[in-house]
Amino acid sequence: MTDYSNAPELKASVLGKTTEYADQYDASLLHPIARKLNRDQINVSDDALPFKGEDIWTGYELSWLNAKGKPEVAVATFAFACTSPYIIESKSFKLYLNSFNQTRFDSFDVVKETLTRDLSGASNSNVIVNLFKADDFNCLPFSALPGECIDDLDIEVETYSPSTALLKSKSDDVVTETLYSHLLKSNCLITSQPDWASIIIRYTGREICREGLLKYLISFRSHNEFHEQCVERIFCDLQNAFAFDNLEVCARYTRRGGLDINPFRSTDSATTTLNVRTNRQ
């Protein structure tokens, strides 16, 4: 696999570097990364994407000052279409959100408008932002994942680097099913910090060998790639192997630095049908 960790736009970023936290609003802290960097590696062209979807981020550590200098807090969600030319580097996103801490804003609406403008500009796409007050307990309810968990399968694992050879059909019978696993783990492309996720796979097509699927998901354990990139790789590997009639892949990553990232890719839907929050988040 080509090493693209030395791409100029990554080397110029704050990722993996010691940084000071600004507490005054600064939109310039946002660091975009071209989605094309990864898609070249999996033979996907931005002009002919084999999937639809979005990336749903949750921000748990957003605070600012109101017009009188009194702190406000909120939980935020940010939806980026997978067609956006750029993703936002997560550390720069955190630094950007922290820059709100000692900045005065007149209202929740002004904060939302500011976030929407800055993130849409950085990603070169329309980003949907929602803010929720701290006592709005229904905004992000926990839920059991849909489908059947495959984690209890008694398998022997020897491969910890992505291998499509592990993907096999159980039969030629066409089925519709939803499977999930809590055992997806990959590493940050630059820092190698672990990224933990639960992943949901819903498909219609030839029945998957579940043991092989679980081994394949575990094979990402030593793999270095961003969250969004891992999900696109998994989607493409599955679709290339099985040519499903319909396929949805959604990963629910645990938070780091007050942010979680939840990429969703689908043959049919541009907005997630699997937006459920796990107890690990």
Side-chain angles (χ1 to χ4, degrees):
M1 182 182 301
T2 302
D3 178 10
Y4 51 94
S5 62
N6 289 320
E9 59 195 284
L10 294 183
K11 293 178 74 174
S13 77
V14 297
L15 192 58
K17 300 176 184 177
T18 300
T19 53
E20 294 185 6
Y21 285 83
D23 61 6
Q24 294 294 324
Y25 166 70
D26 185 357
S28 71
L29 292 168
L30 290 169
H31 189 89
I33 297 174
R35 292 187 187 270
K36 184 178 184 298
L37 281 175
N38 168 255
R39 288 173 177 171
D40 286 347
Q41 311 306 317
I42 56 175
N43 298 315
V44 167
S45 169
D46 286 341
D47 297 327
L49 294 178
F51 45 69
K52 303 175 183 178
E54 60 184 348
D55 305 321
I56 306 294
W57 296 60
T58 314
Y60 299 92
E61 299 175 3
L62 177 61
S63 183
W64 64 93
L65 304 179
N66 69 13
K68 295 183 177 181
K70 180 182 177 181
E72 301 275 4
V73 296
V75 174
T77 60
F78 313 95
F80 296 80
C82 74
T83 53
S84 67
Y86 299 95
I87 61 175
I88 305 298
E89 180 190 270
S90 60
K91 184 174 181 180
S92 78
F93 203 153
K94 175 180 173 60
L95 292 171
Y96 164 73
L97 294 178
N98 280 334
S99 78
F100 283 60
N101 289 349
Q102 289 299 114
T103 305
R104 298 191 182 206
F105 293 91
D106 289 336
S107 66
F108 263 63
D109 287 341
V110 173
V111 173
K112 180 178 178 180
E113 291 166 4
T114 302
L115 291 163
T116 302
R117 180 192 67 233
D118 294 345
L119 294 170
S120 297
S123 63
N124 196 21
S125 67
N126 294 323
V127 177
I128 299 173
V129 178
N130 287 299
L131 298 184
F132 304 95
K133 294 190 175 182
D135 56 1
D136 184 356
F137 297 109
N138 295 318
C139 68
L140 298 172
F142 292 111
S143 175
L145 297 185
E148 297 180 62
C149 183
I150 61 175
D151 292 346
D152 289 336
L153 294 171
D154 186 15
I155 60 172
E156 184 171 340
V157 179
E158 298 178 346
T159 303
Y160 300 103
S161 181
S163 173
T164 57
L166 297 167
L167 294 171
K168 303 180 186 300
S169 295
K170 179 179 179 181
S171 72
D172 289 332
D173 294 340
V174 174
V175 302
T176 297
E177 64 179 355
T178 303
L179 307 174
Y180 70 87
S181 172
H182 299 297
L183 303 186
L184 179 62
K185 179 245 178 201
S186 55
N187 303 309
C188 174
L189 177 62
I190 306 300
T191 66
S192 293
Q193 292 184 40
D195 296 321
W196 308 93
S198 300
I199 186 165
I200 310 163
I201 297 168
R202 176 178 291 163
Y203 73 93
T204 298
R206 283 184 297 153
E207 187 175 6
I208 293 179
C209 170
R210 296 185 180 186
E211 289 81 2
L213 176 61
L214 184 57
K215 289 181 181 181
Y216 166 76
L217 295 174
I218 292 172
S219 77
F220 279 75
R221 196 166 181 85
S222 296
H223 182 63
N224 287 40
E225 211 164 32
F226 292 136
H227 303 66
E228 302 93 332
Q229 298 170 343
C230 282
V231 171
E232 291 188 358
R233 185 178 296 277
I234 291 169
F235 180 97
C236 290
D237 284 351
L238 290 171
Q239 191 63 2
N240 290 338
F242 300 105
F244 290 127
D245 296 329
N246 304 99
L247 175 63
E248 294 177 307
V249 177
C250 180
R252 303 291 302 185
Y253 279 89
T254 60
R255 74 183 80 170
R256 187 197 297 162
L259 288 166
D260 66 37
I261 309 172
N262 308 283
F264 169 80
R265 299 293 181 270
S266 169
T267 53
D268 298 315
S269 179
T271 56
T272 183
T273 60
L274 299 169
N275 194 20
V276 293
R277 183 168 172 241
T278 75
N279 64 356
R280 301 169 73 197
Q281 297 183 294

